[in-house]
């Protein structure tokens, strides 16, 4: 089957780019949040150019739904590129205890230089960037403890920017930078649609479910087989549209006349994948 051409709208890319560039001048490091299930497709292809030499920390978010072995391999890969990455789950907060120590280790040389210049308690400023839905707000909400007062605007700082103190001298810009994913690659669009990062149009749902089933059949997880009762189905030799019918039938999704409601079955397959019920699956391996 061919990839589906998922359409999405980048919004005000130039404006966003300019805002991120303006904010970059105010921060010591950039926190790039990516989706651990799609470590390639959830990144912005222009980010390197945009942030240039600014130190960066990658948060592999939603790692609760990704394949643990793959997440580890990706972290090693980033390490080989001299980038520190940590696996996190910003919904539960798991892994975030490593965040402040990681920032401090990435900025160790700078902190030493500041101290040598007598700036012992200089705050560390950070900006959070990532594509829509990757978990930027969840991260900021988790880190900015409820009782932490917003730090006042200070001279020289773009008006309206608010900073949250997150402890140990770290401050987070509370407006996340919204990046755009790579548009021109249909595979990227498809993966973003699988995870729900871009909304699928109603007409795409069934096609998208076929494509996801095709991917799932290559490496069927026990959860996938069990939840849809596919123990007796030859997954390697069943066409995705036939498989969707089987799934719909097993779940009792029948219309009057006994025909399977494949649209309902599609929504179920996609929902269960997106909520992690079909197991921990990373769609891009290193
Ligand atoms: P954004 O600011 O980058 O746009 O993303 P946001 O934090 O709003 O998160 C988008 C969705 O992803 C939210 O779900 C959020 O709960 C979920 N999410 C964020 N981080 C994680 C994570 O590490 N693991 C999992 N499993 N989910 C995560 P939602 O359905 O839109 O909202 P809600 O149902 O959680 O309220």
């Amino acid at each position: 089957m061919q990839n589906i051409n998922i359409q999405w709208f980048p919004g005000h890319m130039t404006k966003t780019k300019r805002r991120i560039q303006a904010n970059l001048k105010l921060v010591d490091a950039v926190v790039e949040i990516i989706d651990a299930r799609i470590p390639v497709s959830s990144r912005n292809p222009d980010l390197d150019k945009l942030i240039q030499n600014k130190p960066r920390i990658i948060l592999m978010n939603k790692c609760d739904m990704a394949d643990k072995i793959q997440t580890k391999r990706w972290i090693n890969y980033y390490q080989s590129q001299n980038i520190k990455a940590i696996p996190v789950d910003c919904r539960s907060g798991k892994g975030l205890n490593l965040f402040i120590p990681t920032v401090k280790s990435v900025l160790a040389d700078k902190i030493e230089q500041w101290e040598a210049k007598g700036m012992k308690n200089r705050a560390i400023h950070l900006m959070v960037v990532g594509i829509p839905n990757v978990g930027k707000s969840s991260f900021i909400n988790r880190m900015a403890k409820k009782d932490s007062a917003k730090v006042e605007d200070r001279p020289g700082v773009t008006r309206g920017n608010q900073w949250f103190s997150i402890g140990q001298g770290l401050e987070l810009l509370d407006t996340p930078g919204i990046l755009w994913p790579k548009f021109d690659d249909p595979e990227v669009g498809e993966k973003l649609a699988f995870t729900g990062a871009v909304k699928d149009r109603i007409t795409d749902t069934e096609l998208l479910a076929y494509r996801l089933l095709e991917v799932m059949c290559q490496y069927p997880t026990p959860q996938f087989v069990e939840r849809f009762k596919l123990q007796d189905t030859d997954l390697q030799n069943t066409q995705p549209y036939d498989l969707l019918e089987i799934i719909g039938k097993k779940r009792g999704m029948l219309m009057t006349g006994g025909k399977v409601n494949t649209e309902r079955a599609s929504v179920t397959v996609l929902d269960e994948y997106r909520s992690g019920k079909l197991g921990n699956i990373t769609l891009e391996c290193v």
Side-chain angles (χ1 to χ4, degrees):
M1 257 177 101
Q2 278 204 323
N3 297 112
I4 313 161
N5 205 359
I6 304 288
Q7 303 291 326
W8 68 85
F9 302 99
H12 304 287
M13 258 166 56
T14 319
K15 209 168 131 196
T16 310
K17 211 167 175 171
R18 251 187 251 130
R19 213 188 65 198
I20 291 177
Q21 268 162 340
N23 286 336
L24 264 178
K25 298 192 187 98
L26 313 172
V27 299
D28 303 302
V30 171
V31 181
E32 181 190 5
I33 305 190
I34 66 173
D35 186 327
R37 294 167 298 173
I38 44 171
V40 178
S41 298
S42 62
R43 296 189 77 182
N44 171 277
D46 300 331
L47 188 66
D48 287 346
K49 236 188 305 162
L50 204 60
I51 71 170
Q52 297 192 1
N53 295 326
K54 199 63 84 175
R56 167 196 343 203
I57 295 101
I58 291 182
L59 297 186
M60 294 191 76
N61 194 33
K62 308 197 182 184
C63 73
D64 53 307
M65 297 196 282
D67 181 307
K68 287 185 178 43
I69 294 170
Q70 277 303 324
T71 301
K72 224 177 228 158
R73 290 173 77 156
W74 275 106
I75 286 174
N76 292 340
Y77 166 79
Y78 297 126
Q79 187 79 46
S80 73
Q81 309 279 306
N82 261 332
I83 301 175
K84 265 264 174 5
I86 46 175
V88 291
D89 166 359
C90 289
R91 205 160 61 167
S92 73
K94 209 168 156 215
L96 288 175
N97 56 328
L98 287 178
F99 178 67
I100 294 181
T102 304
V103 172
K104 290 198 167 175
S105 86
V106 168
L107 292 174
D109 289 350
K110 265 196 170 180
I111 295 171
E112 209 172 286
Q113 284 167 16
W114 295 334
E115 286 180 355
K117 287 183 192 158
M119 296 187 279
K120 210 159 172 29
N121 292 318
R122 184 196 181 286
I124 297 172
H125 299 121
L126 303 167
M127 174 170 54
V128 178
V129 298
I131 64 166
N133 279 316
V134 76
K136 298 178 293 300
S137 311
S138 305
F139 170 70
I140 293 174
N141 290 338
R142 277 262 157 211
M143 293 308 293
K145 298 175 189 82
K146 286 199 179 65
D147 54 351
S148 94
K150 278 186 175 178
V151 180
E152 285 302 304
D153 277 6
R154 43 178 98 71
V157 170
T158 313
R159 265 186 80 169
N161 272 345
Q162 292 286 346
W163 296 87
F164 272 111
S165 168
I166 59 167
Q168 297 189 44
L170 270 72
E171 288 176 16
L172 219 55
L173 193 58
D174 85 338
T175 1
I178 298 165
L179 294 168
W180 49 98
K182 194 167 184 248
F183 303 114
D184 45 8
D185 182 345
E187 271 201 32
V188 169
E190 200 173 77
K191 283 177 192 145
L192 290 163
F194 286 163
T195 61
V198 295
K199 298 269 164 287
D200 34 298
R201 290 168 303 174
I202 301 296
T203 48
D204 287 334
T205 307
E206 219 162 302
L207 272 177
L208 200 60
Y210 291 154
R211 285 287 299 139
L212 181 59
L213 286 175
E214 223 170 26
V215 173
M216 295 291 309
C217 284
Q218 285 167 22
Y219 309 99
T221 57
Q223 292 93 327
F224 172 64
V225 173
E226 266 160 42
R227 287 192 71 82
F228 296 133
K229 301 192 171 55
L230 299 171
Q231 291 85 347
D232 300 327
T233 308
D234 177 2
L235 294 176
Q236 310 305 324
N237 293 305
T238 308
Q239 291 299 322
Y241 22 87
D242 294 332
L243 189 55
L244 193 67
E245 292 243 338
I246 294 172
I247 289 172
K249 213 177 270 171
K250 299 237 175 181
R251 286 283 177 101
M253 295 172 173
L254 302 179
M255 299 187 290
T256 31
K259 228 175 146 247
V260 175
N261 188 339
T262 45
E263 202 182 307
R264 253 186 81 199
S266 307
V267 172
T268 300
V269 168
L270 289 166
D271 275 355
E272 298 207 358
Y273 170 73
R274 286 172 186 162
S275 58
K277 288 184 183 147
L278 302 185
N280 289 15
I281 303 157
T282 299
L283 296 171
E284 290 167 333
C285 302
V286 67

